[in-house]
Amino acid sequence: MKSSTPEFEAECIRRILAGEKSLFHDLIRPCERPIYFLLFSLLRNEAEAEDAAQETVIKVYQNLRTFRGDAQFRTWVLSIARNEGLGRLRKIGSRREDSLDAEIDDSTGDYTPAILTSWREVPEEALERKELLVLLRNAIDGLPEIYRNVVLLRDIEEMNVRETAAALGATEGAVKVRLHRARALLQRELAPKLGGYAPKRKGLFGWAR
Amino acid sequence: MRIDCKHVWVHISAYIDGEVDADLRAEIDRHLETCEICSAVLDSTRNVVVLVADDRVFELPIGFSERLHARIDEEMDHPEPASL
């Protein structure tokens, strides 16, 4: 059975609860990346995010019996991760996420993309270049938190809008709006800098600059 | 209905995700045929989305998974009182 299908998850959970504890390793594996990156996005610190990720996974294990199966397992896990992250932020006296959400979602404001006329696609092979990876990471790190969370789950972990909304405790409409703004901000930040990573244009006499 | 560049930009994300209805998609496609700027904005946005989604951009810390699974084993052997 393919890992992370609802059938695999349900079967796994049934067997874990019946005593095959070690199956929990397989159940949680597909969730590791989104758990960590969601927490990293909230906490902005590798060590803290890793600690919170471990705590999340232990809570998932301890509370597996309460998983109802009406949400996707990953969504349930990520909402536990988000609560863990927000709990830690509250403890260190950080601002409340809710008020920040309201503030940003209410602001409209026109967005103008980076205007380019000669855009050449940057192939994924270009990601072998370290400085390009750094450029992309910095652009995502530089997004306001509520946009960064959505990009991480929707575009990087490829979760759908419904799942992303459930994991973040937001409406689907809000996820779409945030995703749009986040992509727009990334385009504006990155497009002007990516030109150098595009393949050289083919000139009249073969490949030339 | 003729749409302008700003109108296209507002729908770019939904367009990339295939979430605009058929009429609007046709309008946008017609606009893109003649508008070099919007074509470049669309292509660059789509390209940026593809690039940031690459697994190499965000990697888990080295040893993250091993440490996590070791912690799980520890919990299985010596369970702590449950809390949520």
Side-chain angles (χ1 to χ4, degrees):
Chain A
M1 211 178 298
K2 206 171 163 268
S3 72
S4 81
T5 64
E7 294 76 21
F8 170 84
E9 288 165 1
E11 172 71 4
C12 242
I13 292 168
R14 193 187 60 73
R15 286 168 59 185
I16 293 163
L17 294 176
E20 285 182 71
K21 291 190 290 189
S22 65
L23 276 176
F24 184 73
H25 291 287
D26 300 328
L27 177 68
I28 205 68
R29 209 162 265 124
C31 301
E32 285 175 24
R33 271 183 61 99
I35 292 173
Y36 175 80
F37 290 121
L38 176 59
L39 285 163
F40 183 72
S41 176
L42 289 168
L43 301 167
R44 315 306 305 272
N45 174 296
E46 270 195 22
E48 183 77 9
E50 176 160 351
D51 192 61
Q54 291 192 1
E55 211 51 52
T56 298
V57 169
I58 297 303
K59 283 180 180 171
V60 169
Y61 177 70
Q62 290 172 338
N63 293 281
L64 202 53
R65 205 170 287 280
T66 67
F67 174 63
R68 293 265 164 252
D70 44 9
Q72 275 194 44
F73 178 68
R74 185 166 63 170
T75 310
W76 181 67
V77 168
L78 288 177
S79 60
I80 294 174
R82 181 168 163 274
N83 283 336
E84 178 68 27
L86 293 180
R88 285 173 185 238
L89 285 177
R90 236 168 266 137
K91 230 177 259 172
I92 54 176
S94 196
R95 79 291 166 285
R96 284 189 61 231
E97 199 196 55
D98 302 354
S99 57
L100 188 75
D101 275 11
E103 207 177 294
I104 297 191
D105 270 358
D106 284 348
S107 66
T108 45
D110 267 352
Y111 138 75
T112 312
I115 307 290
L116 312 132
T117 45
S118 63
W119 168 259
R120 280 169 295 142
E121 190 177 306
V122 178
E124 285 183 85
E125 293 89 81
L127 289 169
E128 275 148 33
R129 294 171 66 174
K130 270 238 159 56
E131 70 273 20
L132 176 57
L133 291 173
V134 171
L135 201 64
L136 295 169
R137 275 180 211 138
N138 288 346
I140 295 165
D141 281 346
L143 290 173
E145 178 187 308
I146 61 165
Y147 297 160
R148 195 170 58 236
N149 292 343
V150 170
V151 168
L152 277 164
L153 297 185
R154 179 78 182 84
D155 281 342
I156 299 179
E157 294 304 323
E158 297 175 341
M159 291 169 49
N160 63 36
V161 171
R162 197 159 56 92
E163 220 189 334
T164 305
L168 295 177
T171 64
E172 291 183 29
V175 166
K176 286 183 192 174
V177 169
R178 291 176 199 178
L179 185 65
H180 174 70
R181 292 189 186 154
R183 286 171 173 174
L185 288 168
L186 289 174
Q187 189 269 357
R188 188 160 55 181
E189 165 71 17
L190 286 168
K193 298 179 181 168
L194 288 176
Y197 296 91
K200 289 179 176 59
R201 202 187 284 274
K202 199 175 180 186
L204 264 181
F205 305 100
W207 294 96
R209 235 184 205 296
Chain B
M1 179 181 78
R2 288 213 46 91
I3 55 175
D4 60 16
C5 296
K6 277 199 171 169
H7 199 126
V8 171
W9 300 341
V10 167
H11 294 288
I12 273 194
S13 182
Y15 181 93
I16 289 173
D17 286 341
E19 283 178 358
V20 294
D21 65 42
D23 289 347
L24 181 56
R25 174 166 291 271
E27 279 298 331
I28 294 174
D29 286 340
R30 204 172 317 154
H31 179 96
L32 289 171
E33 275 170 26
T34 54
C35 181
E36 210 183 334
I37 289 172
C38 285
S39 297
V41 170
L42 172 69
D43 290 344
S44 58
T45 306
R46 190 185 273 140
N47 196 195
V48 162
V49 169
V50 168
L51 292 175
V52 301
D54 193 283
D55 280 353
R56 283 168 288 187
V57 176
F58 279 98
E59 288 177 331
L60 286 169
I62 293 163
F64 171 86
S65 199
E66 291 75 8
R67 290 189 292 275
L68 176 67
H69 287 274
R71 175 84 195 273
I72 296 171
D73 282 331
E74 205 179 293
E75 171 64 24
M76 285 173 178
D77 295 341
H78 309 283
E80 292 167 22
S83 63
L84 190 62

